[in-house]
Amino acid sequence: MLAAVLVKSKSKLEIMDIELPELSFGQVLVKLKFSGICGAQINEIDAVKGRDKFLPHLLGHEGTGIVEEIGDGVKTVKKGDHVVLHWKKGNGIESNTPKYKYKGKIINAGWVTTFNEKAIVSENRVTKIDKKFNLKIATLMGCSLTTAYGVVNNDANIKIGQSVIIVGLGGVGLNLVQACSLVSANPIVGIDINQKKIELAYKYGLDYGIKYLNNNSLKKKINAILDGNKANIVIETTGISEMIELAYDLTSPDGKTILVGVPNKNINIYSLPLHFDKILKGSFGGNTKPEIDIPNYIKLILKKRINLKPLITHEFPLKKINDALKLFRTGNAGRIIIKF
């Protein structure tokens, strides 16, 4: 089966015809239909956390597909089920990670990968969904949607009428806008360097969009929008240390700064307000529970309370995944989907 393999850090992925190992206890074989691309894969390719000791390996952590086979012990899904593949742990067994092969050489993988035509996935990284539901749309529930909605519900606990600033309007950021709109945050302010993403965010309930130029001009605009106040909630999605510091500075003394993006280097903040009512908090995937949250979000989509179709702006075949990754890096796209 074809797979996009990271052979060398900071290099293009290589398309290989790799061999599937036999299923072991707690594993599920899924035939992929769609995969999303997240910033996490860019970070893996660029080795932002340091030397990658697992090379060569597979990538991808959100997708959808159809179960082809299950290993011993698996009870939550069966052959023929339609499933969402997600990086957050859900119900079921956490299996060993699979070892694929290419010309006798081991190709490593985590508990879930989605840049491959078929994937051996740990049972607790797949969630069954209704066969009638659109698998392309469901792909976003593997990471971007569930993270965003989890941040709003579990990390930020946004109340009706609270002011929210979202720094970075990528895949997670756009979903954050829609989630904040659903809970009646007011106003919802989005910040990004890309005007196209700001325009797309307006379709999801954004009240004010600000194209980032520099801190001084941004603060003046925020000051005007919030009548001289700082925001109740600021959610940072980029992971850029300077933007994290800015997000913290834009947060009111009794507000919350929620970090979705993982810092690319150390940050410098004035920590005294944290001894009183100000909160600085990192999010771990929105603390989502896939087996509970994914079915609930599907209900809202079917009731047309959530609209995800416009978020998907581009689609590529697996063989052109490097083109998809290149586009992702430009920021000139919403969610990019790999179609198998």
Side-chain angles (χ1 to χ4, degrees):
M1 61 136 191
L2 293 182
V5 182
L6 180 62
V7 176
K8 182 180 179 182
S9 295
K10 302 178 183 180
S11 299
K12 290 183 177 181
L13 304 186
E14 296 186 19
I15 304 298
M16 298 180 178
D17 190 359
I18 66 175
E19 299 175 29
L20 280 165
E22 291 185 5
L23 287 185
S24 66
F25 184 79
Q27 291 181 336
V28 179
L29 175 62
V30 179
K31 182 178 181 180
L32 270 294
K33 292 296 183 181
F34 298 95
S35 171
I37 297 176
C38 295
Q41 284 85 65
I42 301 298
N43 291 341
E44 285 185 83
I45 293 168
D46 292 347
V48 297
K49 295 181 180 180
R51 187 180 69 85
D52 191 337
K53 61 182 180 180
F54 296 107
L55 294 173
H57 64 78
L58 302 183
L59 295 167
H61 68 202
E62 71 168 1
T64 51
I66 301 172
V67 175
E68 285 202 340
E69 188 180 347
I70 60 173
D72 291 340
V74 174
K75 296 179 180 180
T76 63
V77 295
K78 64 182 184 301
K79 183 178 180 179
D81 282 346
H82 288 201
V83 291
V84 174
L85 290 75
H86 44 78
W87 66 273
K88 281 284 287 178
K89 292 182 182 181
N91 279 344
I93 299 163
E94 178 154 303
S95 69
N96 293 326
T97 56
K99 303 292 184 185
Y100 300 83
K101 284 187 178 181
Y102 177 70
K103 294 183 178 181
K105 187 175 182 179
I106 295 293
I107 305 292
N108 292 306
W111 290 283
V112 57
T113 60
T114 61
F115 288 4
N116 30 303
E117 291 179 322
K118 295 184 180 182
I120 292 177
V121 186
S122 180
E123 182 188 15
N124 64 355
R125 264 47 174 218
V126 294
T127 294
K128 179 183 175 181
I129 62 172
D130 193 303
K131 290 182 179 180
K132 295 178 182 178
F133 194 75
N134 187 317
L135 283 175
K136 184 194 291 188
I137 296 298
T139 300
L140 303 186
M141 296 183 199
C143 177
S144 60
L145 183 140
T146 45
T147 295
Y149 281 62
V151 166
V152 168
N153 290 325
N154 303 322
D155 297 319
N157 297 123
I158 297 171
K159 308 300 182 185
I160 294 172
Q162 283 191 313
S163 56
V164 179
I165 297 174
I166 299 165
V167 182
L169 297 173
V172 172
L174 290 170
N175 277 296
L176 281 167
V177 171
Q178 189 165 207
C180 288
S181 181
L182 279 173
V183 299
S184 299
N186 182 59
I188 304 168
V189 183
I191 300 167
D192 204 282
I193 60 173
N194 190 304
Q195 187 63 35
K196 290 182 180 179
K197 288 189 175 180
I198 293 172
E199 295 302 323
L200 183 56
Y202 279 121
K203 297 180 181 179
Y204 289 95
L206 189 70
D207 295 306
Y208 301 94
I210 303 174
K211 185 174 181 179
Y212 180 78
L213 298 174
N214 58 63
N215 284 8
N216 288 335
S217 65
L218 175 67
K219 288 178 181 178
K220 287 179 181 178
K221 291 176 182 178
I222 295 292
N223 189 60
I225 292 168
L226 299 182
D227 296 325
N229 298 309
K230 293 189 175 184
N232 300 124
I233 311 288
V234 182
I235 306 172
E236 207 291 322
T237 72
T238 72
I240 300 169
S241 60
E242 291 82 3
M243 300 310 292
I244 292 172
E245 293 165 4
L246 174 63
Y248 180 78
D249 192 36
L250 294 174
T251 307
S252 69
D254 59 350
K256 299 175 186 175
T257 308
I258 310 296
L259 308 184
V260 180
V262 178
N264 62 345
K265 58 182 179 181
N266 290 340
I267 61 172
N268 294 301
I269 61 167
Y270 179 57
S271 62
L272 181 62
L274 298 176
H275 293 271
F276 299 96
D277 294 324
K278 194 165 187 173
I279 293 172
L280 174 64
K281 183 177 183 180
S283 176
F284 182 59
N287 289 304
T288 190
K289 292 180 172 56
E291 70 279 2
I292 296 172
D293 295 333
I294 289 174
N296 285 339
Y297 298 148
I298 287 176
K299 291 176 186 176
L300 288 173
I301 292 168
L302 292 174
K303 288 188 175 183
K304 299 183 179 180
R305 297 288 303 279
I306 299 175
N307 181 18
L308 299 179
K309 287 184 179 179
L311 289 177
I312 300 173
T313 59
H314 296 79
E315 190 176 294
F316 289 81
L318 180 64
K319 289 183 178 181
K320 293 188 176 181
I321 193 167
N322 287 305
D323 293 334
L325 292 166
K326 184 178 180 180
L327 175 62
F328 185 97
R329 289 179 183 273
T330 69
N332 294 321
R335 210 60 173 173
I336 300 170
I337 295 292
I338 304 300
K339 181 181 180 180
F340 295 89

